[in-house]
Amino acid sequence: MYEIKKLNKISAKIEEVFNSNYQLGEEFTNPDGILVRSAQMAEYEVNDKLVAIARAGAGVNNIPVERMAESGVVVFNTPGANANAVKELVICGLFIASRDIIGGSNWINTVTENTAKTAEKGKSQFAGTEIFGKTLGVIGLGAIGRLVADAAVNLGMNVIGYDPFLPDASKLNSKVKVASFDEVVKNADYITIHVPYIESTKNLINSNVINSMKDGVIILNMARGEIVNVDDLKAAIETGKVRKYVVDFPSENVINSKNIIVLPHLGASTEEAEDNCAVMAGKQLVDYIENGNIVNSVNYPRLVKERVAGKKRTCVLFKASDLSKIESIKNAVVATKGNFGYAIVDDDNYINVDFAIKTRNI
Ligand code: MLT
C-alpha cells in the first residue's frame, strides 16, 4: 500500500487517479509521495520512503527542488494544466487596468439616490482606453504566455513576445512577433510576465528595465511577485512612467498602493484548473511510483520507457558527474538535466549501482 500525503487541500478529482493500492491522507509521517499546492516545504525533512513530490500547479518556488534532487526525490509540476485559467485572468487584467471598472463599480454602489442620473454625471472619472490596436509584450512564451499571446491577437492587439528557450515556436499564433527582451520591453504598451520565479528572474523588472519602457506602460504580473522590484515600480508609478500594475501576489508593499491593482492569487483558482492540476499531478506520481517514468519534473530529466514483459526494472537517480559510469551499464536508458541524471534499466535481474543517489526496484 502506497501512502500519499496531501500538504494542501486538493480537488476531489484526485480520488479518481489512485486505485486501492494507494491511501491518501494528511497525517502520514513516512509517505511514498506528496501532493502539494502552496504549502511551504523549505524546511521539509525528507522521510525514508519519499520518492516524489507532485505540485498541483506550475510554480515550484515553495519546494527546495535542488535539495530534493540531492535526496533522490523527484519533483513534478503540472505545466499547462491551469494555463487557461491564468490566461483568462490576464485578459481580465488588461481590461481592469485600462478602464477603472473596479473603481466605477465600487463608486456606483455608494450612490443610493438618483442612481442612474448620478452615474451618467459621474462616470467620466472612470473612463479609460481600449486594448484594440495596442501592443502587448509577453515575457515568457511557455504554456500560459502562448495562450495569452493568442487571445490578445484575437482581441486585435499587436503581440510581441520574448522567451530565452522558446519550447515550440510552431504552437505560437503566427501573428505573434518573437523579439529580444529589450525590444519587447521598449515597444509594448502592456507587458505581461510569464516566466518562473528563479534566481535569475528575481527583480527582472527593475528601474533599468522600466526606464526603457514606453511612458504610461501597464505591467501585469500573474507569475510571481518577486519578479518585479516593487520599490522601483512604485517610483515609476509616481513619475507616470508606469500607468498601472496588476499583480496576483498580495504583500504588504503592494496592497492599497496608488495605481496598483492587487488580486489574491486568483490565477489558477477555477474549478477546471484545480481539477486539471490535481489529476495531472496524481497521474505523474502514479506513473513514477509504478513505472519509474518521469515526464514533467523540474529537478530530474524526462525519461519514459514502456515496460518490457518479464523484465525487472531498476530506476537509478544519480549525479550527472557519474554519467559515464551509468552509460557503461548494459540496457541502461539514460538522461540528464543540470546536475542530476536518471536511468531506467530493464533486465532479467535488478541491478546494484553503488554510486547512485537512490535506486528503486519496480
Ligand atoms: C501556479 O504556479 O501554477 C499558479 O501560480 C497557481 C498556483 O500557485 O497554484
Coordinates of all heavy atoms in Angstrom, one line a residue, residues 11-103:
S11 N -8.2 19.2 -5.2 CA -9.5 18.9 -5.8 C -9.9 17.4 -5.6 O -9.0 16.5 -5.7 CB -9.4 19.1 -7.3 OG -10.4 18.3 -8.0
A12 N -11.2 17.2 -5.3 CA -11.6 15.8 -5.0 C -11.4 14.9 -6.2 O -11.4 13.6 -6.1 CB -13.1 15.8 -4.7
K13 N -11.2 15.4 -7.4 CA -10.9 14.7 -8.6 C -9.7 13.7 -8.4 O -9.6 12.7 -9.1 CB -10.6 15.6 -9.8 CG -11.8 16.2 -10.4 CD -12.1 15.4 -11.7 CE -13.3 15.9 -12.3 NZ -13.9 15.0 -13.3
I14 N -8.9 14.1 -7.5 CA -7.6 13.3 -7.3 C -8.0 11.9 -6.9 O -7.2 11.0 -7.2 CB -6.8 14.0 -6.1 CG1 -5.4 13.4 -6.1 CG2 -7.4 13.9 -4.8 CD1 -4.5 13.9 -7.2
E15 N -9.1 11.7 -6.2 CA -9.5 10.3 -5.8 C -9.6 9.4 -7.0 O -9.4 8.2 -6.9 CB -10.9 10.4 -5.1 CG -10.9 11.3 -3.9 CD -10.2 10.8 -2.7 OE1 -9.9 9.6 -2.6 OE2 -9.9 11.6 -1.8
E16 N -10.0 10.0 -8.2 CA -10.2 9.1 -9.4 C -8.9 8.5 -9.9 O -8.8 7.6 -10.6 CB -10.8 9.9 -10.5 CG -12.2 10.4 -10.2 CD -12.7 11.4 -11.2 OE1 -12.1 11.5 -12.3 OE2 -13.7 12.1 -10.9
V17 N -7.8 9.2 -9.5 CA -6.5 8.8 -10.1 C -5.9 7.6 -9.3 O -5.2 6.8 -9.9 CB -5.5 10.0 -10.0 CG1 -4.1 9.6 -10.5 CG2 -6.0 11.2 -10.7
F18 N -6.1 7.5 -8.0 CA -5.5 6.4 -7.2 C -6.4 5.2 -7.0 O -7.5 5.4 -6.6 CB -5.0 7.0 -5.9 CG -4.0 8.1 -6.0 CD1 -4.4 9.4 -5.9 CD2 -2.7 7.8 -6.2 CE1 -3.4 10.5 -6.0 CE2 -1.7 8.8 -6.4 CZ -2.1 10.1 -6.3
N19 N -5.8 4.0 -7.3 CA -6.6 2.8 -7.1 C -6.4 2.3 -5.6 O -5.9 3.0 -4.8 CB -6.3 1.7 -8.1 CG -4.8 1.3 -8.0 OD1 -4.2 1.5 -6.9 ND2 -4.3 0.8 -9.0
S20 N -6.9 1.1 -5.3 CA -6.9 0.6 -4.0 C -5.5 0.3 -3.4 O -5.4 0.0 -2.3 CB -7.8 -0.6 -3.8 OG -7.4 -1.5 -4.8
N21 N -4.5 0.5 -4.3 CA -3.1 0.3 -3.8 C -2.6 1.5 -3.1 O -1.5 1.6 -2.6 CB -2.2 0.0 -4.9 CG -2.5 -1.4 -5.5 OD1 -2.9 -2.2 -4.9 ND2 -2.2 -1.5 -6.8
Y22 N -3.4 2.6 -3.1 CA -3.0 3.9 -2.5 C -3.9 4.3 -1.4 O -5.1 4.1 -1.5 CB -2.9 5.0 -3.6 CG -1.9 4.7 -4.7 CD1 -2.2 3.9 -5.8 CD2 -0.7 5.4 -4.7 CE1 -1.3 3.6 -6.8 CE2 0.3 5.1 -5.7 CZ 0.0 4.3 -6.7 OH 0.9 4.1 -7.7
Q23 N -3.3 5.0 -0.5 CA -4.1 5.7 0.6 C -3.7 7.2 0.5 O -2.5 7.5 0.5 CB -3.7 5.2 1.9 CG -4.5 4.0 2.4 CD -4.2 3.8 3.9 OE1 -3.0 3.8 4.2 NE2 -5.2 3.6 4.7
L24 N -4.7 8.0 0.6 CA -4.4 9.5 0.5 C -4.8 10.1 1.9 O -5.8 9.7 2.5 CB -5.4 10.1 -0.5 CG -4.8 10.6 -1.8 CD1 -4.5 9.4 -2.6 CD2 -5.7 11.6 -2.4
G25 N -3.9 10.9 2.4 CA -4.3 11.5 3.7 C -3.3 12.6 4.1 O -2.4 12.9 3.3
E26 N -3.6 13.3 5.2 CA -2.8 14.4 5.6 C -1.9 14.1 6.8 O -1.0 14.8 7.1 CB -3.8 15.5 6.1 CG -4.3 16.3 4.9 CD -5.7 16.9 5.1 OE1 -6.0 17.3 6.2 OE2 -6.5 16.9 4.1
E27 N -2.1 12.9 7.4 CA -1.3 12.6 8.6 C -0.1 11.7 8.5 O 0.6 11.6 9.4 CB -2.3 11.9 9.6 CG -3.6 12.7 9.9 CD -3.4 14.1 10.4 OE1 -2.4 14.3 11.1 OE2 -4.2 15.0 10.1
F28 N 0.1 11.2 7.3 CA 1.2 10.2 7.2 C 2.6 10.8 7.6 O 2.9 11.9 7.2 CB 1.4 9.7 5.7 CG 0.1 9.0 5.2 CD1 -0.5 9.5 4.1 CD2 -0.5 7.9 5.9 CE1 -1.7 8.9 3.6 CE2 -1.6 7.3 5.5 CZ -2.2 7.8 4.3
T29 N 3.4 10.0 8.3 CA 4.7 10.6 8.7 C 5.8 10.0 7.8 O 6.9 10.6 7.8 CB 5.0 10.2 10.2 OG1 4.8 8.8 10.3 CG2 4.2 11.0 11.1
N30 N 5.5 8.9 7.1 CA 6.6 8.4 6.2 C 5.9 8.1 4.8 O 5.9 6.9 4.4 CB 7.2 7.1 6.8 CG 8.5 6.7 6.1 OD1 9.0 7.5 5.3 ND2 8.9 5.5 6.4
P31 N 5.4 9.1 4.1 CA 4.7 8.8 2.9 C 5.6 8.4 1.7 O 6.8 8.8 1.8 CB 4.1 10.2 2.6 CG 5.0 11.2 3.2 CD 5.5 10.5 4.4
D32 N 5.1 7.8 0.7 CA 5.8 7.4 -0.5 C 5.8 8.6 -1.5 O 6.8 8.8 -2.2 CB 5.1 6.3 -1.2 CG 5.1 5.0 -0.3 OD1 6.1 4.3 -0.4 OD2 4.1 4.8 0.4
G33 N 4.7 9.4 -1.4 CA 4.6 10.6 -2.3 C 3.9 11.7 -1.6 O 3.2 11.5 -0.6
I34 N 4.1 12.9 -2.1 CA 3.5 14.1 -1.5 C 2.8 14.8 -2.7 O 3.3 15.0 -3.8 CB 4.5 15.0 -0.9 CG1 5.0 14.4 0.4 CG2 4.0 16.4 -0.6 CD1 6.1 15.2 1.2
L35 N 1.6 15.3 -2.3 CA 0.8 16.2 -3.2 C 0.8 17.6 -2.5 O 0.4 17.7 -1.4 CB -0.6 15.7 -3.4 CG -0.8 14.6 -4.4 CD1 -2.2 14.0 -4.2 CD2 -0.7 15.1 -5.8
V36 N 1.2 18.6 -3.2 CA 1.2 19.9 -2.6 C 0.8 21.0 -3.6 O 0.9 20.9 -4.8 CB 2.7 20.2 -2.1 CG1 3.7 20.2 -3.3 CG2 2.8 21.5 -1.3
R37 N 0.2 22.1 -3.0 CA -0.1 23.2 -3.8 C 0.8 24.4 -3.3 O 1.9 24.4 -3.8 CB -1.6 23.6 -3.7 CG -2.5 22.6 -4.4 CD -3.9 23.0 -4.4 NE -4.2 24.3 -5.0 CZ -5.3 24.9 -4.9 NH1 -6.3 24.4 -4.2 NH2 -5.5 26.1 -5.5
S38 N 0.4 25.2 -2.3 CA 1.3 26.3 -2.0 C 2.0 26.1 -0.6 O 2.7 27.0 -0.2 CB 0.4 27.6 -2.0 OG -0.7 27.4 -1.2
A39 N 1.8 25.0 0.1 CA 2.4 24.8 1.4 C 3.9 25.0 1.2 O 4.6 24.5 0.2 CB 2.1 23.4 1.9
Q40 N 4.5 25.7 2.2 CA 6.0 26.0 2.1 C 6.8 24.7 2.6 O 6.6 24.2 3.7 CB 6.2 27.1 3.1 CG 7.7 27.6 3.1 CD 8.3 27.8 1.7 OE1 9.0 27.0 1.2 NE2 7.9 28.9 1.0
M41 N 7.6 24.2 1.7 CA 8.4 23.0 2.0 C 9.9 23.3 2.3 O 10.6 22.3 2.3 CB 8.2 22.0 0.9 CG 6.8 21.5 0.7 SD 6.7 20.1 -0.5 CE 7.4 18.8 0.5
A42 N 10.2 24.5 2.4 CA 11.7 24.9 2.5 C 12.3 24.1 3.6 O 13.5 23.6 3.5 CB 11.8 26.4 2.8
E43 N 11.6 23.8 4.7 CA 12.2 23.1 5.9 C 11.8 21.7 5.9 O 12.1 21.0 6.9 CB 11.7 23.8 7.2 CG 11.9 25.3 7.3 CD 13.4 25.7 7.3 OE1 14.2 24.9 7.8 OE2 13.7 26.7 6.7
Y44 N 11.2 21.2 4.9 CA 10.6 19.8 5.0 C 11.8 18.8 5.0 O 12.7 18.8 4.2 CB 9.8 19.5 3.7 CG 8.9 18.3 3.9 CD1 7.7 18.3 4.4 CD2 9.4 17.0 3.5 CE1 6.9 17.2 4.6 CE2 8.7 15.9 3.7 CZ 7.4 16.0 4.2 OH 6.7 14.8 4.4
E45 N 11.7 17.9 6.0 CA 12.8 16.9 6.2 C 12.3 15.7 5.4 O 11.2 15.1 5.6 CB 13.0 16.5 7.6 CG 13.8 17.6 8.3 CD 14.5 17.1 9.6 OE1 14.7 15.9 9.7 OE2 14.7 18.0 10.4
V46 N 13.2 15.2 4.5 CA 12.8 14.1 3.6 C 12.8 12.8 4.4 O 13.7 12.5 5.1 CB 13.9 14.0 2.5 CG1 13.6 12.7 1.6 CG2 14.0 15.2 1.7
N47 N 11.6 12.2 4.3 CA 11.4 10.9 5.1 C 12.0 9.7 4.2 O 12.1 9.9 3.0 CB 10.0 10.7 5.4 CG 9.1 10.8 4.2 OD1 8.7 11.9 3.7 ND2 8.7 9.6 3.7
D48 N 12.2 8.6 4.9 CA 12.8 7.4 4.2 C 12.2 7.0 2.9 O 12.8 6.8 1.9 CB 12.7 6.2 5.1 CG 13.5 6.3 6.4 OD1 14.2 7.3 6.5 OD2 13.3 5.4 7.2
K49 N 10.8 6.9 3.0 CA 10.2 6.2 1.8 C 9.9 7.2 0.7 O 9.5 6.8 -0.4 CB 8.8 5.7 2.3 CG 9.0 4.3 3.0 CD 7.6 3.5 3.1 CE 6.5 4.4 3.3 NZ 5.2 3.8 3.5
L50 N 10.1 8.5 0.9 CA 9.6 9.5 0.0 C 10.4 9.4 -1.4 O 11.6 9.4 -1.4 CB 9.8 10.9 0.5 CG 9.2 12.1 -0.3 CD1 7.7 12.0 -0.4 CD2 9.6 13.4 0.2
V51 N 9.6 9.2 -2.5 CA 10.3 9.1 -3.8 C 9.9 10.3 -4.7 O 10.7 10.7 -5.6 CB 10.0 7.8 -4.5 CG1 10.6 6.6 -3.8 CG2 8.5 7.6 -4.8
A52 N 8.8 11.0 -4.4 CA 8.4 12.1 -5.3 C 7.4 13.0 -4.7 O 6.7 12.7 -3.8 CB 7.7 11.5 -6.6
I53 N 7.5 14.3 -5.2 CA 6.6 15.3 -4.7 C 5.9 15.8 -6.0 O 6.6 16.1 -7.0 CB 7.3 16.5 -4.1 CG1 8.1 16.0 -2.8 CG2 6.4 17.7 -3.8 CD1 9.1 17.0 -2.2
A54 N 4.6 15.9 -6.0 CA 3.9 16.5 -7.2 C 3.2 17.8 -6.8 O 2.4 17.8 -5.9 CB 2.9 15.5 -7.7
R55 N 3.6 18.9 -7.5 CA 2.9 20.1 -7.2 C 1.8 20.3 -8.2 O 2.0 20.3 -9.4 CB 3.9 21.3 -7.3 CG 3.1 22.6 -7.3 CD 3.9 23.8 -6.7 NE 2.9 24.7 -6.1 CZ 2.1 25.6 -6.9 NH1 2.3 25.7 -8.1 NH2 1.2 26.3 -6.3
A56 N 0.6 20.5 -7.6 CA -0.6 20.8 -8.5 C -0.6 22.3 -8.8 O -1.2 23.1 -8.2 CB -1.9 20.4 -7.7
G57 N 0.2 22.6 -9.8 CA 0.4 24.0 -10.2 C 1.8 24.1 -11.0 O 2.5 23.1 -11.1
A58 N 2.1 25.2 -11.5 CA 3.3 25.4 -12.3 C 4.5 25.8 -11.5 O 5.6 25.2 -11.6 CB 3.0 26.3 -13.5
G59 N 4.3 26.8 -10.7 CA 5.5 27.4 -9.9 C 5.9 26.4 -8.8 O 5.1 25.8 -8.2
V60 N 7.2 26.3 -8.6 CA 7.7 25.4 -7.6 C 8.6 26.1 -6.6 O 9.4 25.5 -5.9 CB 8.5 24.2 -8.2 CG1 7.6 23.2 -8.9 CG2 9.6 24.7 -9.2
N61 N 8.4 27.4 -6.4 CA 9.2 28.2 -5.5 C 9.0 27.9 -4.1 O 9.7 28.3 -3.2 CB 9.1 29.7 -5.8 CG 7.7 30.2 -5.8 OD1 6.8 29.6 -6.5 ND2 7.4 31.2 -5.0
N62 N 8.0 27.1 -3.8 CA 7.7 26.7 -2.4 C 8.4 25.3 -2.1 O 8.3 24.8 -1.0 CB 6.2 26.6 -2.1 CG 5.5 25.7 -3.0 OD1 5.8 25.6 -4.2 ND2 4.5 25.0 -2.6
I63 N 9.1 24.8 -3.0 CA 9.8 23.5 -2.8 C 11.3 23.6 -3.1 O 11.7 24.2 -4.1 CB 9.2 22.5 -3.9 CG1 7.7 22.4 -3.8 CG2 9.8 21.1 -3.6 CD1 7.0 21.6 -4.9
P64 N 12.1 23.1 -2.1 CA 13.5 23.2 -2.3 C 14.0 22.1 -3.3 O 14.4 21.0 -3.0 CB 14.1 22.9 -0.9 CG 13.0 22.1 -0.2 CD 11.7 22.4 -0.9
V65 N 13.8 22.4 -4.6 CA 14.0 21.4 -5.7 C 15.4 20.8 -5.7 O 15.6 19.6 -6.0 CB 13.6 21.9 -7.1 CG1 12.1 22.1 -7.1 CG2 14.3 23.2 -7.4
E66 N 16.4 21.6 -5.5 CA 17.8 21.1 -5.6 C 18.1 20.1 -4.4 O 18.6 19.1 -4.6 CB 18.7 22.3 -5.5 CG 20.2 22.0 -5.9 CD 20.5 21.9 -7.4 OE1 19.6 22.1 -8.2 OE2 21.6 21.5 -7.7
R67 N 17.6 20.5 -3.2 CA 17.8 19.7 -2.0 C 17.1 18.4 -2.2 O 17.6 17.3 -1.9 CB 17.4 20.4 -0.8 CG 17.5 19.6 0.5 CD 17.5 20.4 1.7 NE 16.1 21.0 2.0 CZ 15.2 20.3 2.6 NH1 15.3 19.1 3.0 NH2 14.0 20.9 2.9
M68 N 15.9 18.4 -2.8 CA 15.1 17.2 -3.0 C 15.9 16.3 -4.0 O 15.9 15.1 -3.9 CB 13.7 17.5 -3.6 CG 12.8 18.2 -2.5 SD 12.6 17.1 -1.1 CE 12.2 18.2 0.2
A69 N 16.4 16.9 -5.1 CA 17.2 16.1 -6.1 C 18.3 15.4 -5.4 O 18.6 14.2 -5.6 CB 17.7 17.0 -7.2
E70 N 19.0 16.1 -4.5 CA 20.2 15.5 -3.8 C 19.7 14.4 -3.0 O 20.5 13.4 -2.7 CB 20.9 16.6 -2.9 CG 21.9 17.4 -3.7 CD 22.2 18.7 -3.1 OE1 21.9 19.0 -1.9 OE2 22.7 19.6 -3.9
S71 N 18.5 14.4 -2.5 CA 18.0 13.3 -1.7 C 17.3 12.2 -2.5 O 16.6 11.3 -2.0 CB 17.0 13.8 -0.6 OG 17.5 14.9 0.1
G72 N 17.3 12.4 -3.8 CA 16.7 11.4 -4.7 C 15.2 11.5 -4.7 O 14.5 10.5 -5.0
V73 N 14.7 12.7 -4.5 CA 13.2 12.9 -4.6 C 12.9 13.7 -5.8 O 13.4 14.8 -6.0 CB 12.7 13.7 -3.3 CG1 11.2 13.9 -3.4 CG2 13.0 12.9 -2.1
V74 N 12.1 13.1 -6.7 CA 11.7 13.7 -8.0 C 10.6 14.7 -7.7 O 9.6 14.4 -7.1 CB 11.3 12.7 -9.0 CG1 10.9 13.4 -10.3 CG2 12.5 11.7 -9.2
V75 N 10.8 16.0 -8.2 CA 9.7 17.0 -8.0 C 9.0 17.2 -9.4 O 9.7 17.5 -10.4 CB 10.3 18.3 -7.5 CG1 9.2 19.4 -7.4 CG2 11.0 18.1 -6.2
F76 N 7.7 17.0 -9.4 CA 6.9 17.2 -10.6 C 6.1 18.5 -10.5 O 5.7 18.9 -9.3 CB 5.9 16.0 -10.8 CG 6.5 14.7 -11.0 CD1 6.8 13.8 -10.0 CD2 6.9 14.4 -12.3 CE1 7.4 12.6 -10.2 CE2 7.5 13.1 -12.6 CZ 7.7 12.2 -11.5
N77 N 5.8 19.1 -11.6 CA 4.8 20.2 -11.6 C 3.8 19.9 -12.7 O 3.9 18.8 -13.4 CB 5.4 21.6 -11.7 CG 6.1 21.8 -13.0 OD1 6.3 20.9 -13.8 ND2 6.4 23.1 -13.3
T78 N 2.8 20.8 -12.9 CA 1.8 20.5 -13.9 C 1.7 21.6 -14.9 O 0.7 22.3 -15.0 CB 0.4 20.3 -13.2 OG1 0.1 21.5 -12.5 CG2 0.5 19.1 -12.3
P79 N 2.7 21.8 -15.8 CA 2.7 22.9 -16.7 C 1.5 22.8 -17.7 O 1.3 21.7 -18.2 CB 4.1 22.8 -17.4 CG 4.5 21.4 -17.2 CD 3.9 21.0 -15.9
G80 N 0.9 23.9 -17.8 CA -0.3 23.9 -18.8 C -1.6 23.6 -18.2 O -2.6 24.0 -18.7
A81 N -1.6 22.8 -17.1 CA -2.9 22.4 -16.5 C -3.8 23.5 -16.1 O -5.0 23.4 -16.1 CB -2.7 21.4 -15.4
N82 N -3.2 24.6 -15.7 CA -4.0 25.7 -15.2 C -3.8 26.9 -16.2 O -4.2 28.1 -15.8 CB -3.7 26.1 -13.8 CG -2.3 26.4 -13.5 OD1 -1.6 26.8 -14.5 ND2 -1.8 26.3 -12.3
A83 N -3.2 26.7 -17.3 CA -2.9 27.8 -18.2 C -4.1 28.6 -18.7 O -4.0 29.9 -18.8 CB -2.1 27.3 -19.4
N84 N -5.2 27.9 -19.0 CA -6.3 28.7 -19.5 C -6.9 29.6 -18.4 O -7.2 30.8 -18.7 CB -7.4 27.7 -20.0 CG -8.5 28.5 -20.7 OD1 -8.2 29.1 -21.7 ND2 -9.7 28.6 -20.1
A85 N -6.9 29.1 -17.2 CA -7.4 30.0 -16.1 C -6.6 31.2 -15.9 O -7.1 32.3 -15.8 CB -7.4 29.2 -14.8
V86 N -5.2 31.0 -16.0 CA -4.4 32.2 -15.8 C -4.5 33.1 -17.0 O -4.6 34.4 -16.8 CB -2.9 31.8 -15.6 CG1 -2.0 33.0 -15.5 CG2 -2.7 30.8 -14.5
K87 N -4.6 32.6 -18.2 CA -4.8 33.4 -19.4 C -6.1 34.3 -19.2 O -6.0 35.5 -19.5 CB -5.0 32.5 -20.6 CG -5.4 33.3 -21.9 CD -6.1 32.4 -22.9 CE -7.5 32.2 -22.6 NZ -8.2 31.3 -23.6
E88 N -7.1 33.7 -18.8 CA -8.4 34.5 -18.6 C -8.2 35.6 -17.6 O -8.7 36.7 -17.8 CB -9.5 33.5 -18.2 CG -9.9 32.6 -19.4 CD -11.2 31.8 -19.1 OE1 -11.9 32.0 -18.1 OE2 -11.5 30.9 -19.9
L89 N -7.4 35.4 -16.6 CA -7.2 36.4 -15.6 C -6.3 37.5 -16.2 O -6.5 38.7 -15.9 CB -6.7 35.9 -14.3 CG -6.8 36.9 -13.1 CD1 -8.2 37.0 -12.7 CD2 -5.9 36.4 -11.9
V90 N -5.4 37.1 -17.0 CA -4.5 38.2 -17.6 C -5.4 39.1 -18.5 O -5.3 40.3 -18.5 CB -3.4 37.5 -18.5 CG1 -2.6 38.5 -19.3 CG2 -2.5 36.7 -17.5
I91 N -6.3 38.4 -19.3 CA -7.1 39.2 -20.2 C -8.0 40.2 -19.4 O -8.1 41.4 -19.7 CB -8.0 38.3 -21.1 CG1 -7.1 37.4 -22.0 CG2 -8.9 39.1 -22.0 CD1 -6.1 38.1 -22.9
C92 N -8.5 39.6 -18.3 CA -9.3 40.5 -17.4 C -8.4 41.6 -16.9 O -8.9 42.8 -16.8 CB -9.8 39.6 -16.2 SG -10.5 40.5 -14.9
G93 N -7.2 41.3 -16.5 CA -6.2 42.3 -16.0 C -6.0 43.4 -17.1 O -5.9 44.6 -16.7
L94 N -6.0 43.1 -18.3 CA -5.8 44.1 -19.4 C -6.9 45.1 -19.3 O -6.8 46.3 -19.4 CB -5.8 43.5 -20.8 CG -4.6 42.6 -21.1 CD1 -4.8 41.9 -22.5 CD2 -3.3 43.4 -21.2
F95 N -8.1 44.6 -19.1 CA -9.3 45.4 -19.1 C -9.4 46.3 -17.8 O -9.7 47.5 -17.9 CB -10.6 44.6 -19.3 CG -10.7 44.0 -20.7 CD1 -11.0 42.6 -20.8 CD2 -10.6 44.8 -21.8 CE1 -11.1 42.1 -22.1 CE2 -10.7 44.2 -23.1 CZ -10.9 42.8 -23.2
I96 N -9.2 45.6 -16.7 CA -9.3 46.4 -15.4 C -8.2 47.4 -15.2 O -8.4 48.4 -14.5 CB -9.5 45.5 -14.2 CG1 -8.3 44.6 -14.0 CG2 -10.8 44.7 -14.2 CD1 -8.3 43.7 -12.7
A97 N -7.1 47.2 -16.0 CA -6.0 48.2 -15.9 C -6.3 49.4 -16.9 O -5.9 50.5 -16.6 CB -4.7 47.6 -16.2
S98 N -7.0 49.1 -18.0 CA -7.2 50.1 -19.0 C -8.4 51.0 -18.7 O -8.4 52.2 -19.0 CB -7.5 49.4 -20.3 OG -6.5 48.5 -20.7
R99 N -9.4 50.4 -18.0 CA -10.6 51.2 -17.6 C -10.8 51.0 -16.2 O -10.7 49.9 -15.6 CB -11.8 50.7 -18.4 CG -11.5 50.6 -19.9 CD -12.5 49.8 -20.7 NE -13.8 50.5 -20.8 CZ -14.7 50.1 -21.7 NH1 -14.5 49.1 -22.5 NH2 -15.8 50.8 -21.7
D100 N -11.2 52.0 -15.4 CA -11.4 51.8 -14.0 C -12.7 51.1 -13.7 O -13.6 51.7 -13.0 CB -11.3 53.2 -13.3 CG -11.1 53.0 -11.8 OD1 -11.1 51.8 -11.3 OD2 -11.1 54.0 -11.1
I101 N -12.8 49.9 -14.1 CA -14.0 49.1 -13.9 C -14.3 48.8 -12.4 O -15.4 49.0 -11.9 CB -13.9 47.8 -14.7 CG1 -13.7 48.1 -16.2 CG2 -15.1 46.9 -14.5 CD1 -13.2 46.9 -17.0
I102 N -13.2 48.5 -11.7 CA -13.4 48.2 -10.3 C -13.8 49.5 -9.5 O -14.7 49.5 -8.7 CB -12.0 47.7 -9.7 CG1 -11.7 46.3 -10.4 CG2 -12.1 47.5 -8.2 CD1 -10.4 45.7 -10.0
G103 N -13.1 50.6 -9.8 CA -13.4 51.9 -9.2 C -14.8 52.3 -9.5 O -15.6 52.7 -8.6

